[in-house]
Amino acid sequence: IKEGRTILGDGGGVCQVSTTLFRAALNAGLPIIERKAHYYRVGFYEQGGYFPGLDATVYPPSPDFKFKNDTPAYLLIQTEIDEVKRRLVFKFYGTSDNRKVEMGKPVILSQTPPPDPIYTDDPTLPVGIIKKFDSAHWGAKVVFTRKVFSADGQLKEKKTFTSNYTPWPAVY
């Protein structure tokens, strides 16, 4: 997604990696320094029981995804790829400080229907042939809150994450 259009280029798999890492860092209770949701809702990030609002887009030079290791020691981040299940897993290894994480379920606060489809002429197509270039997506505002507690039960961090997805027209 670049300059208000879906274009061919590097992506997809790159953002799947950043989204998976974002989810792992969230569940580990690590501070999220920089994260941006995708411009519009991308359906495959909501597969497998995931809710909207749990994605993280990256594209050089920005947006970027950053989190901080605020544990008392180094972190080893290891990946596992299960080609059969088509699954990527990030595992964090380090010295536990016994923090606890409470993740609120993402809530869709509002939704906006996609605009009318856009039709553009493509002189390379035979007359009468219509080819879909881009799918329509509903816009939405999604929020969720994460709380991180220290080992003694004190609230260490409470942060609300907001994703504002733009309604997107189908393009033919």
Side-chain angles (χ1 to χ4, degrees), residues 75-103:
L75 283 179
L76 169 66
I77 302 173
Q78 187 175 27
T79 58
E80 289 182 5
I81 298 174
D82 184 331
E83 292 184 27
V84 174
K85 292 181 181 177
R86 300 180 65 178
R87 183 179 166 122
L88 169 67
V89 175
F90 280 96
K91 292 185 176 182
F92 295 157
Y93 295 95
T95 302
S96 176
D97 59 4
N98 295 311
R99 67 182 65 192
K100 302 289 183 231
V101 178
E102 287 182 10
M103 288 281 296

PDB file of all heavy atoms in Angstrom, residues 75-103:
ATOM      1  N   LEU A  75      17.896 -10.514  25.521  1.00  0.00           N
ATOM      2  CA  LEU A  75      16.887 -11.394  24.935  1.00  0.00           C
ATOM      3  C   LEU A  75      17.495 -12.124  23.750  1.00  0.00           C
ATOM      4  O   LEU A  75      18.240 -11.530  22.963  1.00  0.00           O
ATOM      5  CB  LEU A  75      15.692 -10.596  24.407  1.00  0.00           C
ATOM      6  CG  LEU A  75      14.677 -10.059  25.382  1.00  0.00           C
ATOM      7  CD1 LEU A  75      13.594  -9.292  24.632  1.00  0.00           C
ATOM      8  CD2 LEU A  75      14.050 -11.181  26.199  1.00  0.00           C
ATOM      9  N   LEU A  76      17.166 -13.385  23.635  1.00  0.00           N
ATOM     10  CA  LEU A  76      17.456 -14.144  22.428  1.00  0.00           C
ATOM     11  C   LEU A  76      16.121 -14.322  21.724  1.00  0.00           C
ATOM     12  O   LEU A  76      15.152 -14.793  22.335  1.00  0.00           O
ATOM     13  CB  LEU A  76      18.065 -15.512  22.760  1.00  0.00           C
ATOM     14  CG  LEU A  76      18.166 -16.496  21.586  1.00  0.00           C
ATOM     15  CD1 LEU A  76      19.141 -15.985  20.539  1.00  0.00           C
ATOM     16  CD2 LEU A  76      18.560 -17.880  22.069  1.00  0.00           C
ATOM     17  N   ILE A  77      16.060 -13.880  20.496  1.00  0.00           N
ATOM     18  CA  ILE A  77      14.827 -14.024  19.718  1.00  0.00           C
ATOM     19  C   ILE A  77      15.083 -15.098  18.674  1.00  0.00           C
ATOM     20  O   ILE A  77      15.982 -14.971  17.847  1.00  0.00           O
ATOM     21  CB  ILE A  77      14.421 -12.705  19.044  1.00  0.00           C
ATOM     22  CG1 ILE A  77      14.242 -11.614  20.098  1.00  0.00           C
ATOM     23  CG2 ILE A  77      13.150 -12.899  18.229  1.00  0.00           C
ATOM     24  CD1 ILE A  77      14.014 -10.233  19.522  1.00  0.00           C
ATOM     25  N   GLN A  78      14.292 -16.150  18.742  1.00  0.00           N
ATOM     26  CA  GLN A  78      14.459 -17.274  17.836  1.00  0.00           C
ATOM     27  C   GLN A  78      13.182 -17.453  17.029  1.00  0.00           C
ATOM     28  O   GLN A  78      12.080 -17.294  17.559  1.00  0.00           O
ATOM     29  CB  GLN A  78      14.764 -18.538  18.633  1.00  0.00           C
ATOM     30  CG  GLN A  78      15.113 -19.740  17.798  1.00  0.00           C
ATOM     31  CD  GLN A  78      15.521 -20.919  18.664  1.00  0.00           C
ATOM     32  OE1 GLN A  78      15.102 -21.048  19.809  1.00  0.00           O
ATOM     33  NE2 GLN A  78      16.357 -21.789  18.112  1.00  0.00           N
ATOM     34  N   THR A  79      13.343 -17.761  15.761  1.00  0.00           N
ATOM     35  CA  THR A  79      12.178 -18.008  14.913  1.00  0.00           C
ATOM     36  C   THR A  79      12.077 -19.487  14.591  1.00  0.00           C
ATOM     37  O   THR A  79      13.079 -20.206  14.546  1.00  0.00           O
ATOM     38  CB  THR A  79      12.267 -17.229  13.593  1.00  0.00           C
ATOM     39  OG1 THR A  79      13.448 -17.604  12.905  1.00  0.00           O
ATOM     40  CG2 THR A  79      12.254 -15.739  13.834  1.00  0.00           C
ATOM     41  N   GLU A  80      10.848 -19.907  14.387  1.00  0.00           N
ATOM     42  CA  GLU A  80      10.576 -21.260  13.907  1.00  0.00           C
ATOM     43  C   GLU A  80       9.602 -21.141  12.752  1.00  0.00           C
ATOM     44  O   GLU A  80       8.633 -20.378  12.824  1.00  0.00           O
ATOM     45  CB  GLU A  80       9.950 -22.123  15.005  1.00  0.00           C
ATOM     46  CG  GLU A  80      10.884 -22.513  16.109  1.00  0.00           C
ATOM     47  CD  GLU A  80      10.218 -23.415  17.142  1.00  0.00           C
ATOM     48  OE1 GLU A  80       9.046 -23.819  16.944  1.00  0.00           O
ATOM     49  OE2 GLU A  80      10.866 -23.701  18.149  1.00  0.00           O
ATOM     50  N   ILE A  81       9.865 -21.904  11.714  1.00  0.00           N
ATOM     51  CA  ILE A  81       8.965 -21.928  10.566  1.00  0.00           C
ATOM     52  C   ILE A  81       8.478 -23.352  10.385  1.00  0.00           C
ATOM     53  O   ILE A  81       9.272 -24.284  10.275  1.00  0.00           O
ATOM     54  CB  ILE A  81       9.677 -21.434   9.290  1.00  0.00           C
ATOM     55  CG1 ILE A  81      10.112 -19.982   9.468  1.00  0.00           C
ATOM     56  CG2 ILE A  81       8.774 -21.602   8.077  1.00  0.00           C
ATOM     57  CD1 ILE A  81      10.948 -19.436   8.345  1.00  0.00           C
ATOM     58  N   ASP A  82       7.162 -23.511  10.386  1.00  0.00           N
ATOM     59  CA  ASP A  82       6.523 -24.799  10.106  1.00  0.00           C
ATOM     60  C   ASP A  82       5.951 -24.699   8.700  1.00  0.00           C
ATOM     61  O   ASP A  82       4.904 -24.077   8.500  1.00  0.00           O
ATOM     62  CB  ASP A  82       5.429 -25.076  11.138  1.00  0.00           C
ATOM     63  CG  ASP A  82       4.789 -26.443  10.977  1.00  0.00           C
ATOM     64  OD1 ASP A  82       4.738 -26.957   9.830  1.00  0.00           O
ATOM     65  OD2 ASP A  82       4.326 -27.000  11.985  1.00  0.00           O
ATOM     66  N   GLU A  83       6.650 -25.266   7.735  1.00  0.00           N
ATOM     67  CA  GLU A  83       6.226 -25.145   6.338  1.00  0.00           C
ATOM     68  C   GLU A  83       4.934 -25.893   6.058  1.00  0.00           C
ATOM     69  O   GLU A  83       4.154 -25.481   5.198  1.00  0.00           O
ATOM     70  CB  GLU A  83       7.347 -25.605   5.406  1.00  0.00           C
ATOM     71  CG  GLU A  83       8.540 -24.661   5.436  1.00  0.00           C
ATOM     72  CD  GLU A  83       9.620 -25.044   4.448  1.00  0.00           C
ATOM     73  OE1 GLU A  83       9.308 -25.675   3.427  1.00  0.00           O
ATOM     74  OE2 GLU A  83      10.781 -24.688   4.709  1.00  0.00           O
ATOM     75  N   VAL A  84       4.672 -26.973   6.780  1.00  0.00           N
ATOM     76  CA  VAL A  84       3.440 -27.738   6.570  1.00  0.00           C
ATOM     77  C   VAL A  84       2.228 -26.924   7.003  1.00  0.00           C
ATOM     78  O   VAL A  84       1.247 -26.796   6.279  1.00  0.00           O
ATOM     79  CB  VAL A  84       3.501 -29.084   7.323  1.00  0.00           C
ATOM     80  CG1 VAL A  84       2.167 -29.813   7.231  1.00  0.00           C
ATOM     81  CG2 VAL A  84       4.632 -29.955   6.777  1.00  0.00           C
ATOM     82  N   LYS A  85       2.305 -26.327   8.199  1.00  0.00           N
ATOM     83  CA  LYS A  85       1.200 -25.515   8.720  1.00  0.00           C
ATOM     84  C   LYS A  85       1.258 -24.084   8.211  1.00  0.00           C
ATOM     85  O   LYS A  85       0.357 -23.294   8.499  1.00  0.00           O
ATOM     86  CB  LYS A  85       1.216 -25.501  10.245  1.00  0.00           C
ATOM     87  CG  LYS A  85       0.901 -26.824  10.871  1.00  0.00           C
ATOM     88  CD  LYS A  85       0.904 -26.723  12.377  1.00  0.00           C
ATOM     89  CE  LYS A  85       0.609 -28.049  13.026  1.00  0.00           C
ATOM     90  NZ  LYS A  85       0.678 -27.972  14.489  1.00  0.00           N
ATOM     91  N   ARG A  86       2.354 -23.739   7.496  1.00  0.00           N
ATOM     92  CA  ARG A  86       2.572 -22.377   7.003  1.00  0.00           C
ATOM     93  C   ARG A  86       2.478 -21.397   8.165  1.00  0.00           C
ATOM     94  O   ARG A  86       1.670 -20.474   8.170  1.00  0.00           O
ATOM     95  CB  ARG A  86       1.587 -22.047   5.894  1.00  0.00           C
ATOM     96  CG  ARG A  86       1.712 -22.988   4.706  1.00  0.00           C
ATOM     97  CD  ARG A  86       0.765 -22.668   3.636  1.00  0.00           C
ATOM     98  NE  ARG A  86       1.142 -21.349   3.119  1.00  0.00           N
ATOM     99  CZ  ARG A  86       0.531 -20.754   2.129  1.00  0.00           C
ATOM    100  NH1 ARG A  86      -0.459 -21.330   1.531  1.00  0.00           N
ATOM    101  NH2 ARG A  86       0.914 -19.560   1.731  1.00  0.00           N
ATOM    102  N   ARG A  87       3.334 -21.619   9.145  1.00  0.00           N
ATOM    103  CA  ARG A  87       3.271 -20.872  10.392  1.00  0.00           C
ATOM    104  C   ARG A  87       4.650 -20.374  10.795  1.00  0.00           C
ATOM    105  O   ARG A  87       5.637 -21.105  10.719  1.00  0.00           O
ATOM    106  CB  ARG A  87       2.709 -21.802  11.466  1.00  0.00           C
ATOM    107  CG  ARG A  87       2.517 -21.194  12.799  1.00  0.00           C
ATOM    108  CD  ARG A  87       1.939 -22.229  13.741  1.00  0.00           C
ATOM    109  NE  ARG A  87       2.062 -21.761  15.082  1.00  0.00           N
ATOM    110  CZ  ARG A  87       1.056 -21.602  15.902  1.00  0.00           C
ATOM    111  NH1 ARG A  87      -0.150 -21.895  15.511  1.00  0.00           N
ATOM    112  NH2 ARG A  87       1.245 -21.174  17.118  1.00  0.00           N
ATOM    113  N   LEU A  88       4.718 -19.114  11.213  1.00  0.00           N
ATOM    114  CA  LEU A  88       5.931 -18.497  11.730  1.00  0.00           C
ATOM    115  C   LEU A  88       5.733 -18.227  13.218  1.00  0.00           C
ATOM    116  O   LEU A  88       4.686 -17.718  13.623  1.00  0.00           O
ATOM    117  CB  LEU A  88       6.209 -17.176  10.999  1.00  0.00           C
ATOM    118  CG  LEU A  88       7.289 -16.268  11.589  1.00  0.00           C
ATOM    119  CD1 LEU A  88       8.665 -16.911  11.479  1.00  0.00           C
ATOM    120  CD2 LEU A  88       7.262 -14.913  10.894  1.00  0.00           C
ATOM    121  N   VAL A  89       6.731 -18.569  14.021  1.00  0.00           N
ATOM    122  CA  VAL A  89       6.663 -18.360  15.466  1.00  0.00           C
ATOM    123  C   VAL A  89       7.930 -17.633  15.912  1.00  0.00           C
ATOM    124  O   VAL A  89       9.030 -17.967  15.469  1.00  0.00           O
ATOM    125  CB  VAL A  89       6.560 -19.712  16.216  1.00  0.00           C
ATOM    126  CG1 VAL A  89       6.620 -19.508  17.724  1.00  0.00           C
ATOM    127  CG2 VAL A  89       5.295 -20.453  15.824  1.00  0.00           C
ATOM    128  N   PHE A  90       7.761 -16.621  16.755  1.00  0.00           N
ATOM    129  CA  PHE A  90       8.885 -15.968  17.411  1.00  0.00           C
ATOM    130  C   PHE A  90       8.902 -16.440  18.859  1.00  0.00           C
ATOM    131  O   PHE A  90       7.869 -16.427  19.532  1.00  0.00           O
ATOM    132  CB  PHE A  90       8.732 -14.441  17.414  1.00  0.00           C
ATOM    133  CG  PHE A  90       9.108 -13.801  16.117  1.00  0.00           C
ATOM    134  CD1 PHE A  90       8.144 -13.499  15.179  1.00  0.00           C
ATOM    135  CD2 PHE A  90      10.432 -13.492  15.844  1.00  0.00           C
ATOM    136  CE1 PHE A  90       8.488 -12.898  13.980  1.00  0.00           C
ATOM    137  CE2 PHE A  90      10.783 -12.890  14.650  1.00  0.00           C
ATOM    138  CZ  PHE A  90       9.805 -12.595  13.709  1.00  0.00           C
ATOM    139  N   LYS A  91      10.077 -16.850  19.342  1.00  0.00           N
ATOM    140  CA  LYS A  91      10.244 -17.229  20.746  1.00  0.00           C
ATOM    141  C   LYS A  91      11.271 -16.302  21.366  1.00  0.00           C
ATOM    142  O   LYS A  91      12.334 -16.069  20.789  1.00  0.00           O
ATOM    143  CB  LYS A  91      10.697 -18.683  20.866  1.00  0.00           C
ATOM    144  CG  LYS A  91       9.632 -19.672  20.439  1.00  0.00           C
ATOM    145  CD  LYS A  91      10.070 -21.091  20.694  1.00  0.00           C
ATOM    146  CE  LYS A  91       8.941 -22.042  20.337  1.00  0.00           C
ATOM    147  NZ  LYS A  91       9.329 -23.435  20.615  1.00  0.00           N
ATOM    148  N   PHE A  92      10.926 -15.750  22.526  1.00  0.00           N
ATOM    149  CA  PHE A  92      11.829 -14.878  23.272  1.00  0.00           C
ATOM    150  C   PHE A  92      12.397 -15.674  24.443  1.00  0.00           C
ATOM    151  O   PHE A  92      11.636 -16.259  25.215  1.00  0.00           O
ATOM    152  CB  PHE A  92      11.090 -13.657  23.825  1.00  0.00           C
ATOM    153  CG  PHE A  92      10.551 -12.720  22.771  1.00  0.00           C
ATOM    154  CD1 PHE A  92       9.493 -11.881  23.066  1.00  0.00           C
ATOM    155  CD2 PHE A  92      11.084 -12.658  21.499  1.00  0.00           C
ATOM    156  CE1 PHE A  92       8.985 -11.001  22.114  1.00  0.00           C
ATOM    157  CE2 PHE A  92      10.592 -11.788  20.541  1.00  0.00           C
ATOM    158  CZ  PHE A  92       9.540 -10.959  20.851  1.00  0.00           C
ATOM    159  N   TYR A  93      13.717 -15.670  24.560  1.00  0.00           N
ATOM    160  CA  TYR A  93      14.387 -16.319  25.675  1.00  0.00           C
ATOM    161  C   TYR A  93      15.173 -15.261  26.430  1.00  0.00           C
ATOM    162  O   TYR A  93      15.825 -14.421  25.829  1.00  0.00           O
ATOM    163  CB  TYR A  93      15.355 -17.404  25.177  1.00  0.00           C
ATOM    164  CG  TYR A  93      14.665 -18.562  24.494  1.00  0.00           C
ATOM    165  CD1 TYR A  93      14.526 -18.592  23.113  1.00  0.00           C
ATOM    166  CD2 TYR A  93      14.160 -19.623  25.232  1.00  0.00           C
ATOM    167  CE1 TYR A  93      13.904 -19.653  22.477  1.00  0.00           C
ATOM    168  CE2 TYR A  93      13.531 -20.692  24.611  1.00  0.00           C
ATOM    169  CZ  TYR A  93      13.403 -20.691  23.224  1.00  0.00           C
ATOM    170  OH  TYR A  93      12.788 -21.743  22.610  1.00  0.00           O
ATOM    171  N   GLY A  94      15.096 -15.323  27.755  1.00  0.00           N
ATOM    172  CA  GLY A  94      15.822 -14.366  28.582  1.00  0.00           C
ATOM    173  C   GLY A  94      15.574 -14.661  30.047  1.00  0.00           C
ATOM    174  O   GLY A  94      15.022 -15.695  30.411  1.00  0.00           O
ATOM    175  N   THR A  95      15.964 -13.723  30.882  1.00  0.00           N
ATOM    176  CA  THR A  95      15.755 -13.849  32.320  1.00  0.00           C
ATOM    177  C   THR A  95      14.379 -13.295  32.656  1.00  0.00           C
ATOM    178  O   THR A  95      14.102 -12.124  32.418  1.00  0.00           O
ATOM    179  CB  THR A  95      16.842 -13.070  33.089  1.00  0.00           C
ATOM    180  OG1 THR A  95      18.120 -13.583  32.696  1.00  0.00           O
ATOM    181  CG2 THR A  95      16.663 -13.218  34.585  1.00  0.00           C
ATOM    182  N   SER A  96      13.533 -14.129  33.206  1.00  0.00           N
ATOM    183  CA  SER A  96      12.168 -13.711  33.521  1.00  0.00           C
ATOM    184  C   SER A  96      12.153 -12.763  34.714  1.00  0.00           C
ATOM    185  O   SER A  96      12.858 -12.975  35.702  1.00  0.00           O
ATOM    186  CB  SER A  96      11.296 -14.930  33.835  1.00  0.00           C
ATOM    187  OG  SER A  96      10.009 -14.515  34.237  1.00  0.00           O
ATOM    188  N   ASP A  97      11.368 -11.719  34.605  1.00  0.00           N
ATOM    189  CA  ASP A  97      11.131 -10.846  35.753  1.00  0.00           C
ATOM    190  C   ASP A  97       9.716 -11.080  36.290  1.00  0.00           C
ATOM    191  O   ASP A  97       9.214 -10.303  37.085  1.00  0.00           O
ATOM    192  CB  ASP A  97      11.375  -9.372  35.407  1.00  0.00           C
ATOM    193  CG  ASP A  97      10.485  -8.876  34.282  1.00  0.00           C
ATOM    194  OD1 ASP A  97       9.606  -9.631  33.802  1.00  0.00           O
ATOM    195  OD2 ASP A  97      10.656  -7.712  33.870  1.00  0.00           O
ATOM    196  N   ASN A  98       9.087 -12.161  35.832  1.00  0.00           N
ATOM    197  CA  ASN A  98       7.766 -12.608  36.292  1.00  0.00           C
ATOM    198  C   ASN A  98       6.657 -11.591  36.055  1.00  0.00           C
ATOM    199  O   ASN A  98       5.682 -11.530  36.802  1.00  0.00           O
ATOM    200  CB  ASN A  98       7.809 -13.043  37.756  1.00  0.00           C
ATOM    201  CG  ASN A  98       8.674 -14.270  37.944  1.00  0.00           C
ATOM    202  OD1 ASN A  98       8.533 -15.252  37.216  1.00  0.00           O
ATOM    203  ND2 ASN A  98       9.598 -14.213  38.879  1.00  0.00           N
ATOM    204  N   ARG A  99       6.790 -10.797  35.017  1.00  0.00           N
ATOM    205  CA  ARG A  99       5.718  -9.867  34.672  1.00  0.00           C
ATOM    206  C   ARG A  99       4.502 -10.657  34.195  1.00  0.00           C
ATOM    207  O   ARG A  99       4.621 -11.780  33.704  1.00  0.00           O
ATOM    208  CB  ARG A  99       6.176  -8.862  33.623  1.00  0.00           C
ATOM    209  CG  ARG A  99       6.464  -9.461  32.262  1.00  0.00           C
ATOM    210  CD  ARG A  99       6.970  -8.466  31.259  1.00  0.00           C
ATOM    211  NE  ARG A  99       8.265  -7.956  31.655  1.00  0.00           N
ATOM    212  CZ  ARG A  99       8.852  -6.921  31.115  1.00  0.00           C
ATOM    213  NH1 ARG A  99       8.301  -6.268  30.129  1.00  0.00           N
ATOM    214  NH2 ARG A  99      10.020  -6.508  31.531  1.00  0.00           N
ATOM    215  N   LYS A 100       3.364 -10.058  34.311  1.00  0.00           N
ATOM    216  CA  LYS A 100       2.102 -10.640  33.841  1.00  0.00           C
ATOM    217  C   LYS A 100       1.482  -9.669  32.844  1.00  0.00           C
ATOM    218  O   LYS A 100       1.577  -8.454  33.006  1.00  0.00           O
ATOM    219  CB  LYS A 100       1.126 -10.881  34.999  1.00  0.00           C
ATOM    220  CG  LYS A 100       1.654 -11.781  36.088  1.00  0.00           C
ATOM    221  CD  LYS A 100       1.751 -13.209  35.639  1.00  0.00           C
ATOM    222  CE  LYS A 100       2.209 -14.098  36.784  1.00  0.00           C
ATOM    223  NZ  LYS A 100       3.315 -14.935  36.450  1.00  0.00           N
ATOM    224  N   VAL A 101       0.830 -10.211  31.835  1.00  0.00           N
ATOM    225  CA  VAL A 101       0.245  -9.402  30.777  1.00  0.00           C
ATOM    226  C   VAL A 101      -1.250  -9.701  30.695  1.00  0.00           C
ATOM    227  O   VAL A 101      -1.662 -10.860  30.704  1.00  0.00           O
ATOM    228  CB  VAL A 101       0.910  -9.713  29.415  1.00  0.00           C
ATOM    229  CG1 VAL A 101       0.271  -8.914  28.303  1.00  0.00           C
ATOM    230  CG2 VAL A 101       2.407  -9.450  29.489  1.00  0.00           C
ATOM    231  N   GLU A 102      -2.036  -8.636  30.640  1.00  0.00           N
ATOM    232  CA  GLU A 102      -3.482  -8.753  30.380  1.00  0.00           C
ATOM    233  C   GLU A 102      -3.767  -8.051  29.060  1.00  0.00           C
ATOM    234  O   GLU A 102      -3.528  -6.851  28.928  1.00  0.00           O
ATOM    235  CB  GLU A 102      -4.309  -8.091  31.481  1.00  0.00           C
ATOM    236  CG  GLU A 102      -4.343  -8.834  32.779  1.00  0.00           C
ATOM    237  CD  GLU A 102      -5.225  -8.138  33.819  1.00  0.00           C
ATOM    238  OE1 GLU A 102      -5.954  -7.175  33.472  1.00  0.00           O
ATOM    239  OE2 GLU A 102      -5.152  -8.561  34.986  1.00  0.00           O
ATOM    240  N   MET A 103      -4.256  -8.821  28.106  1.00  0.00           N
ATOM    241  CA  MET A 103      -4.588  -8.268  26.790  1.00  0.00           C
ATOM    242  C   MET A 103      -6.101  -8.167  26.665  1.00  0.00           C
ATOM    243  O   MET A 103      -6.800  -9.173  26.813  1.00  0.00           O
ATOM    244  CB  MET A 103      -4.070  -9.194  25.683  1.00  0.00           C
ATOM    245  CG  MET A 103      -2.574  -9.188  25.515  1.00  0.00           C
ATOM    246  SD  MET A 103      -1.998  -7.777  24.598  1.00  0.00           S
ATOM    247  CE  MET A 103      -2.758  -8.091  23.036  1.00  0.00           C
TER     248      MET A 103
END
